[in-house]
């Protein structure tokens, strides 16, 4: 596995014509966004904040209640560009990435904070792996671990993507729960195999 | 105290309470949620009006009943300001519209703010004028400190817009109403030329076998018919502006609005009690046919289809037969005049129906000439029709691959990685075409999976509009500034 450098990233973005094989990060607003071995990403305008009022606890193993819990627990908010919003200490929000990402089958990516923000205590991603074949705007988990509130604006460069070659024959494309998301998405634990897995751990082995 | 005085006192107090409540509601509006800054101008104007009204009500004691009636009107204006929120309105879209507005009314004091309308329709009105009318007679004249040259318009968007972005092309029509009022003298002169023979025909129909009573009613009936025709002229002018601003995407959005109409060949005219006012709409068949033919819709779609097939032969997309409205000019349209309670309704409806074929010819000629007149106001498109077709095909390819239609790839120096932000009307057109081809296609499943697919497209289009708008406003950093023709074969991103 090798990390793509600047030239390789530009080549994969620019020269491949087939959208299924192309690396796509769009829009890149300036070429400076592409660093020596990464692409800087910006904060988008869609965020999800949690409402703690109505839900005693979130038991993700109970699938049938998930859509209802999503409505009760999360609020989708759209931010305006050029207007501030404040992330308070210990607050966690979900925020959509400004760019739209499309990974071909032979690349996977990781997301990391920009170091300056990290030093302020801002963590932008805890689930930082992006699978080959993913298409969409990533949902970042923003958390202020610092002591002071942090003012943010949609469009600010807050993170970076690092791309890696995936060895071996091309596998299946990403077919996960989040299909072409363009906004911040609340968590979803749905899916047949996930349902069975959750049920096992909630109910224990079934008697035959 | 006499009973009448008791009631008056109560009504006045109710009015003052209502005014206090309205002040509170205005103060509670979250200005950060305004889709554009112009909403603040409307909020400020309304706040000033309500403050003045509170002062005047205490000092000058206007008729409590008149005050109460007008407060109900002012509450509607407040509702519009309150509903001007990014919770309901996709701000990137209205930011684009604001840009178009600024170019269209450059050098004029016209501003526009956007609000959500519960109706499945659009509307625009002069907010400043409406507030002025509502306050008339209630506060001393001139005490509303509105600069004389302020004209804030309120553009009401159909509430369905939140999930139906391609419909936004209809807004071009609404901007057309404002342009019509600015250019009414020239537009009316054109209509005067085209309606000469029609006027003679109408007069002949009204006086044919006329009885004495009919002759007495003739001036009023002529006046009513003139109002109806003037209203139709305004609507068709607005359609032509929509065509100029949005091109074929206006046709597609108008067509989608027409889906909710039960009869596309019916023209409607409604007369209001208020003297000198009527609103009338041409039938959708006629409107769609006229827009299709003036915007060259069929040719444009064929060009896009050909370009698309060339770009991505593996993913042929069949566009349904759109824009073919062969019977629009000579179809069996009819006009319905309302209300039935109007003493002249039957006569007007008969005469207008008898003259409708002639009127349609006059309207068509008029519309084509208005299109030429207003093309100068709207400005010619920067890209040729060929380039536009190529760009739309590129955006369609992106949509077909689950990618937002935000840029057109370019090989111009400095643009190879960045691409060129797509045009607003091109994004709307690509979105409408793609969605229509999906819905009409044999493989589309009209179930939950279909709903997810459509929702996915909406998301991609919304994202495309948002990031292309930001990319346009982002200051260029790179030394190499590409020129190019705005289109190429080289993928960017």
């Amino acid at each position: 596995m090798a990390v793509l450098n600047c030239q390789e990233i530009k080549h994969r973005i620019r020269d491949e014509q087939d959208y299924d094989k192309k690396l796509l990060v769009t829009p890149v607003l300036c070429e400076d966004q592409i660093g020596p071995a990464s692409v800087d990403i910006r904060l988008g305008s869609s965020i999800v904040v949690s409402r703690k009022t109505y839900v005693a606890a979130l038991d993700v193993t109970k699938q049938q209640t998930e859509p209802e819990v999503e409505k009760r627990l999360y609020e989708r908010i759209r931010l305006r560009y050029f207007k501030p919003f404040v992330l308070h200490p210990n607050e966690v929000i979900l925020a959509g990435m400004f760019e739209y990402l499309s990974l071909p089958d032979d690349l996977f990516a990781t997301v990391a904070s920009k170091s300056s923000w990290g030093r302020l205590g801002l963590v932008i991603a805890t689930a930082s792996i992006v699978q080959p074949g993913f298409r969409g705007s990533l949902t970042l988990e923003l958390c202020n671990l610092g002591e002071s509130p942090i003012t943010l604006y949609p469009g600010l460069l807050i993170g970076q993507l690092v791309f890696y070659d995936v060895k071996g024959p091309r596998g299946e494309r990403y077919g996960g729960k989040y299909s072409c998301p363009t906004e911040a998405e609340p968590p979803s634990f749905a899916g047949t195999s996930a349902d069975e897995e959750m049920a096992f751990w909630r109910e224990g082995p079934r008697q035959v | 105290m006499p009973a009448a005085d008791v009631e008056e006192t109560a009504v006045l107090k109710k009015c003052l309470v209502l005014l206090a409540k309205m002040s509170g509601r205005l103060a509670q509006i979250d200005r950060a949620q305004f889709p554009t800054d112009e909403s603040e101008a409307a909020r400020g104007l309304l706040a000033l009006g309500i403050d003045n009204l509170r002062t005047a009500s205490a000092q000058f004691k206007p008729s409590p009943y008149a005050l109460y009636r007008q407060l109900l009107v002012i509450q509607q204006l407040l509702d519009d300001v309150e509903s001007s929120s990014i919770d309901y309105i996709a701000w990137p879209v209205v930011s684009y519209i604001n840009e178009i507005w600024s170019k269209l009314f450059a050098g004029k004091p016209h501003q526009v703010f956007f609000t959500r309308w519960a109706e499945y329709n659009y509307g625009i009105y002069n907010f400043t004028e409406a507030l002025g009318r509502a306050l008339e007679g209630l506060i001393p004249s001139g005490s509303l400190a509105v600069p004389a040259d302020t004209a804030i318009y309120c553009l009401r968007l159909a509430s369905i817009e939140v999930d139906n972005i391609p419909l936004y092309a209809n807004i071009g029509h609404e901007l057309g109403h404002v342009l019509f009022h600015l250019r009414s003298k020239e537009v009316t002169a054109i209509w005067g030329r085209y309606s000469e023979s029609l006027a003679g025909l109408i007069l002949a129909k009204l006086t044919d076998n006329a009885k004495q009573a009919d002759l007495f009613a003739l001036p009023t009936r002529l006046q009513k018919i003139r109002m109806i025709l003037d209203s139709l002229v305004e609507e068709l002018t607005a359609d032509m502006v929509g065509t100029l601003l949005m091109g074929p995407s206006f046709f597609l959005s108008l067509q989608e609005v027409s889906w909710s109409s039960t009869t596309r060949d019916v023209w409607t005219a409604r007369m209001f009690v208020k003297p000198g006012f009527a609103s009338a709409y041409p039938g959708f068949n006629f409107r769609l046919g006229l827009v299709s033919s003036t915007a060259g819709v069929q040719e444009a779609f064929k060009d896009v289809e050909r370009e698309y097939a060339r770009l991505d032969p593996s993913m042929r997309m069949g566009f349904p037969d759109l824009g073919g409205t062969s019977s629009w000019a000579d179809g069996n349209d009819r006009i319905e005049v309302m209300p039935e309670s109007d003493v002249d309704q039957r006569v007007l409806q008969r005469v207008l129906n008898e003259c409708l074929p002639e009127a349609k010819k006059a309207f068509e000629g008029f519309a084509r000439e208005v299109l030429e007149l207003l093309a100068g106001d709207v400005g010619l498109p920067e890209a040729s029709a060929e380039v536009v077709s190529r760009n739309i095909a590129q955006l369609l390819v992106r949509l077909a691959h689950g990618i937002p239609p935000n840029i057109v790839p370019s090989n111009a120096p400095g643009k190879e990685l960045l691409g060129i932000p797509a045009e607003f009307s091109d994004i709307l057109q690509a979105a409408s075409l793609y969605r229509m081809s999906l819905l009409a296609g044999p493989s589309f499943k009209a179930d939950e999976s279909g709903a997810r697919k459509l929702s996915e497209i909406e998301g991609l289009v919304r994202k495309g509009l948002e990031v292309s708008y930001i990319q346009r406003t982002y200051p260029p950093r790179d030394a190499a500034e590409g020129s190019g023709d705005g289109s190429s074969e080289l993928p960017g991103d």
Side-chain angles (χ1 to χ4, degrees), chain A residues 13 26 45 80-81 100 135, chain B residues 34 91 401-402 406 466 493:
Chain A
I13 289 178
T26 186
S45 65
R80 258 187 77 183
Y81 287 82
Y100 191 87
R135 265 181 199 165
Chain B
F34 283 152
W91 70 263
H401 284 84
N406 60 312
E466 175 178 337
D493 293 315

Side-chain angles (χ1 to χ4, degrees), chain B residues 315-388:
Chain B
M315 295 183 71
R316 274 196 75 85
M317 183 182 297
F319 295 141
D321 184 23
L322 297 167
T325 47
S326 53
S327 64
W328 67 278
D330 52 0
N332 295 318
D333 289 11
R334 66 179 197 281
I335 187 162
E336 286 177 0
V337 178
M338 292 166 282
E340 286 184 6
S341 57
D342 188 286
V343 288
D344 298 316
Q345 183 263 346
R346 283 186 163 195
V347 176
L348 299 185
Q349 185 162 293
R350 174 183 59 78
V351 168
L352 284 169
N353 272 309
E354 286 172 3
C355 297
L356 197 52
E358 187 74 23
K360 282 164 71 176
K361 283 182 200 151
F363 281 132
E364 187 189 347
F366 156 79
R368 290 184 190 281
E369 199 170 325
V370 161
L371 192 81
E372 282 177 30
L373 171 79
L374 299 181
D377 296 45
V378 174
L380 293 171
E382 287 171 18
S384 68
E386 191 188 357
V387 170
V388 169

Side-chain angles (χ1 to χ4, degrees), chain A residues 13-14 17 19 22 24-30 32 42 45 78 80-81 97-98 100 135 137 179 182, chain B residues 34 37 86 91 398 401-404 406 416 418 456 459-460 463 466-467 470-471 474 477 491-493:
Chain A
I13 289 178
R14 191 178 48 208
Q17 297 202 26
Y19 278 108
K22 185 181 177 68
L24 184 134
V25 184
T26 186
V28 174
L29 296 186
C30 62
D32 301 351
R42 299 171 188 277
S45 65
R78 187 160 285 282
R80 258 187 77 183
Y81 287 82
M97 186 172 89
F98 175 77
Y100 191 87
R135 265 181 199 165
S137 287
S179 171
T182 51
Chain B
F34 283 152
D37 294 338
I86 52 178
W91 70 263
R398 290 172 78 89
H401 284 84
I403 292 163
N406 60 312
E416 300 98 326
L418 278 51
E456 182 186 307
L460 291 172
K463 187 78 179 175
E466 175 178 337
V467 297
I470 293 296
Q471 192 172 359
Y474 190 80
R477 290 250 200 98
D493 293 315

Side-chain angles (χ1 to χ4, degrees), chain B residues 157-215:
Chain B
L157 308 170
S159 57
I160 200 165
E161 296 302 2
V162 171
D163 299 316
N164 206 353
I165 285 173
L167 271 184
Y168 265 82
N170 279 309
I171 296 170
H173 171 97
E174 299 307 326
L175 303 194
H177 283 291
V178 184
L179 196 56
F180 169 82
H181 289 293
L182 275 178
R183 302 292 301 268
S184 61
K185 203 173 160 188
E186 295 94 327
V187 173
T188 308
I190 295 174
W191 174 238
R193 286 204 304 281
Y194 281 93
S195 60
E196 267 173 21
S197 62
L198 179 66
L201 184 66
I202 289 169
L203 186 62
K205 297 277 182 193
L206 280 173
T207 50
D208 254 5
N209 304 318
K211 296 173 190 161
Q212 192 68 22
D214 291 328
L215 291 175

